[in-house]
Amino acid sequence: MPAPAEADPVLLSVAAQLPQPVFTTGELLDAARPLFSDRLLDMVGGLGIGKRHSVLSNYPDVVFGGAEPKLEIATADLAAQSARTALAKSGIDPGEIGLVLGVTSSPGRLLPSLVCDVIARMPELPRDAANLSIEYMGCSAMAKVVETCRWYLAVNPRKRVLAVFTEAITPLSPPLSGRYGHFSEVAPEQRQSTVDALHSFLFADASVAMVFAAHGKGPSFGPVKNLTNDVPEDTELGTVPDGGSDIPVVQAVHGRRLYTLSPDVTERGSHYAKQTIGAVLDDPSCTLGDPTQASVFFMHTGSTRILDALCEGFLIDRASPAVAASYNVLRDYANTLGCSVPLMVAEPVRRAGGQGLVCAFGLSFSAGAFTVNIPAEGWTP
């Protein structure tokens, strides 16, 4: 029996849910000023992030004042809110959902999984729906979701897929005390302290849910091109080494799991982006001659500096409307790992018809790129 052809998943609806607490970069800079050197203040203030949302109501006090965290909303509750909104926007009967995907690198708890917590909170979902966790894929998670939807909908074309992306990273930011310097001001053995300081400004929390089908009127997503640990050493570009079975105890004195980050991430990430986008352009289903022809180009990175470098590498004007969503999402929501690309898709603007590109790379180390085909008549989330 011949294998069924893969189906380009069509997006029926998308909905973003942000926790209510929001903190500007200015607020965090004021709190950090007694602890950070001037050069470090310039670095974290120049990431291109204007504000970030947190599931903690007292996030700055936790990071800079040693306060006990006050949880405004549980991670799974935030996920269920976005899922319900996406289902309502899709207009489908929840009974049509055949697969639920829980997508996170920062779950509220390690067990039960996010996807099972969401199903428990949503009695309207079928109890016999298949479910799958896509976890700890960092910023490249959207590519894994598109790939999974392609496989599932090819053999279940009458079913629908509910994908729930949720990240709650701010509670993992380490409390800071003492003095912190820029990477150029500290000895190599002190680099981790600067990474800890960066963590408090770079990351934020969000949830985005999407409903996919084999057919529909929304944008469709083309074949995915993946690249993972192109050289074995890339797996160490960024790690969370403790809290797992190898190192079951938290090692850092601040009581949070360690988050390491290599200085080579930017250079290697650019390599992954160029390789995967090149593979997409070479695919017969891609109608684009080069990235400058894309109607939209969603790129997920951690700073405007990296975005600027990618735009330069792809010969795209950084002021082009095609890449505006990448800068906007970074500015308004910070780095939300697996939620960042979905937030770009959910941006409430009308997209002109045409073929676009999506690319994201992140720790683990993995990248994914694919096309997005917006209907000729245009599309608004």
Side-chain angles (χ1 to χ4, degrees), residues 1 27 44 57 71 126 142 184 211 265 277 288 290 303 339 360:
M1 180 183 295
E27 290 177 80
V44 295
S57 61
L71 194 66
M142 178 72 179
S184 64
V211 178
V265 164
I277 286 295
L288 305 172
D290 61 69
S303 71
C339 287

Side-chain angles (χ1 to χ4, degrees), residues 161-241:
V161 178
L162 172 64
V164 187
F165 303 79
T166 305
E167 304 287 2
I169 314 153
T170 59
L172 304 177
S173 291
L176 303 177
S177 61
R179 288 289 295 175
Y180 296 83
H182 185 273
F183 290 118
S184 64
E185 300 174 312
V186 301
E189 61 268 20
Q190 296 176 306
R191 175 182 169 81
Q192 185 58 48
S193 68
T194 304
V195 173
D196 290 347
L198 173 64
H199 195 290
S200 63
F201 279 80
L202 181 58
F203 296 110
D205 309 336
S207 182
V208 183
M210 297 177 167
V211 178
F212 293 96
H215 308 283
K217 297 181 179 180
S220 63
F221 298 95
V224 176
K225 304 302 180 181
N226 295 289
L227 186 63
T228 301
N229 291 325
D230 196 22
V231 296
E233 294 78 13
D234 286 346
T235 193
E236 303 300 325
L237 287 169
T239 69
V240 180

Side-chain angles (χ1 to χ4, degrees), residues 75-89:
T75 307
D77 289 336
L78 188 69
Q81 288 178 7
S82 69
R84 281 202 170 94
T85 304
L87 280 173
K89 288 179 65 176

Side-chain angles (χ1 to χ4, degrees), residues 26-375:
E27 290 177 80
L28 296 191
L29 286 172
D30 287 342
R33 209 167 300 278
L35 307 179
F36 289 13
S37 71
D38 289 344
R39 186 172 290 182
L40 179 56
L41 287 169
D42 288 343
M43 184 188 82
V44 295
L47 294 171
I49 298 168
K51 60 184 180 179
R52 75 277 296 138
H53 292 257
S54 174
V55 295
L56 301 180
S57 61
N58 63 337
Y59 178 58
D61 294 335
V62 172
V63 174
F64 300 106
E68 286 296 315
K70 295 180 181 177
L71 194 66
E72 179 78 11
I73 184 171
T75 307
D77 289 336
L78 188 69
Q81 288 178 7
S82 69
R84 281 202 170 94
T85 304
L87 280 173
K89 288 179 65 176
S90 72
I92 70 167
D93 184 330
E96 298 176 50
I97 297 294
L99 173 64
V100 183
L101 301 175
V103 190
T104 184
S105 293
S106 53
R109 52 183 180 172
L110 299 183
L111 196 68
S113 62
L114 172 68
V115 67
C116 291
D117 265 341
V118 168
I119 291 172
R121 283 163 168 77
M122 298 183 66
E124 62 268 38
L125 293 176
R127 299 296 94 177
D128 60 352
N131 60 85
L132 180 65
S133 293
I134 298 179
E135 297 190 347
Y136 301 107
M137 291 309 306
C139 306
S140 66
M142 178 72 179
K144 318 309 177 189
V145 167
V146 170
E147 189 105 86
T148 303
C149 289
R150 287 174 62 82
W151 297 334
Y152 178 82
L153 293 171
V155 294
N156 299 281
R158 296 182 181 179
K159 290 291 187 179
R160 310 287 185 260
V161 178
L162 172 64
V164 187
F165 303 79
T166 305
E167 304 287 2
I169 314 153
T170 59
L172 304 177
S173 291
L176 303 177
S177 61
R179 288 289 295 175
Y180 296 83
H182 185 273
F183 290 118
S184 64
E185 300 174 312
V186 301
E189 61 268 20
Q190 296 176 306
R191 175 182 169 81
Q192 185 58 48
S193 68
T194 304
V195 173
D196 290 347
L198 173 64
H199 195 290
S200 63
F201 279 80
L202 181 58
F203 296 110
D205 309 336
S207 182
V208 183
M210 297 177 167
V211 178
F212 293 96
H215 308 283
K217 297 181 179 180
S220 63
F221 298 95
V224 176
K225 304 302 180 181
N226 295 289
L227 186 63
T228 301
N229 291 325
D230 196 22
V231 296
E233 294 78 13
D234 286 346
T235 193
E236 303 300 325
L237 287 169
T239 69
V240 180
D242 49 8
S245 297
D246 288 350
I247 307 175
V249 297
V250 174
Q251 295 180 304
V253 296
H254 50 59
R256 303 295 193 273
R257 283 180 291 174
L258 202 62
Y259 170 80
T260 71
L261 190 67
S262 165
D264 299 326
V265 164
T266 299
E267 179 186 350
R268 294 301 295 158
S270 296
H271 164 75
Y272 278 70
K274 291 174 182 177
Q275 291 293 109
T276 52
I277 286 295
V280 170
L281 294 173
D282 289 340
D283 191 278
S285 67
C286 183
T287 62
L288 305 172
D290 61 69
T292 64
Q293 298 174 7
S295 61
V296 294
F297 195 167
F298 298 144
M299 295 181 287
H300 175 43
T301 72
S303 71
T304 52
R305 182 174 65 88
I306 302 175
L307 278 175
D308 289 348
L310 287 175
C311 285
E312 182 179 355
F314 289 126
L315 304 178
I316 298 174
D317 186 340
R318 69 187 68 173
S320 168
V323 296
S326 300
Y327 288 91
N328 294 345
V329 165
L330 181 65
R331 180 195 65 210
D332 294 340
Y333 306 111
N335 185 338
T336 57
L337 298 183
C339 287
S340 288
V341 170
L343 282 169
M344 296 174 202
V345 177
E347 192 179 30
V349 298
R350 182 156 188 84
R351 304 285 181 197
Q355 190 170 68
L357 295 168
V358 182
C359 180
F361 59 85
L363 308 185
S364 272
F365 197 91
S366 187
F370 50 93
T371 54
V372 53
N373 300 286
I374 300 171

